[in-house]
Amino acid sequence: MFCRIAAGAAAAAVVYEDDATLAFLDSMPMIKGHVLVIPKAHYTDLGEAPAAVLGAVMQTVQRVMRAQRGGLKADGVRLIQSNGAAAGQVVPHLHFHVIPRFDNDGAPRGWAHTEYADDAERDAVAERIRTGL
Ligand SMILES: [Zn+2]
């Protein structure tokens, strides 16, 4: 789907484009002005993309975020980026959600949270992540 948009074969309300990236309105916005930023080349998720692509994508994310503040007068901007279905990724093409937020927009600001049973469990989880580096 996003490859087709990047190729110009599917319609989208494009707000910014350069050689490596594309930014367009999400068709199911959380807030009006919700933008998706993608690399034009196909990468399933963040884990696949080389550093140069990530640099280009993040520059576009920053550009869009500044435009939401300047153009939409957003009070804040939230980024959401999901990898894998378990994380809520629906379209398997790397994308960042850049969502303008307003002081009284009524949309949720927080998320569900959990707690470690104790410091030993916390430290064991941190060690498992370190071993994956
Ligand atoms: Zn794709």
Side-chain angles (χ1 to χ4, degrees), residues 11 41 51 55 63 70 85 93 100 124 130:
R63 187 183 295 262
H93 181 127
R130 286 192 294 269

Side-chain angles (χ1 to χ4, degrees), residues 1-3 41-43 92-93:
M1 177 62 179
F2 290 171
C3 279
H42 180 84
Y43 302 97
H93 181 127

Side-chain angles (χ1 to χ4, degrees), residues 46-57:
L46 192 63
E48 288 190 348
V53 170
L54 295 181
V57 167

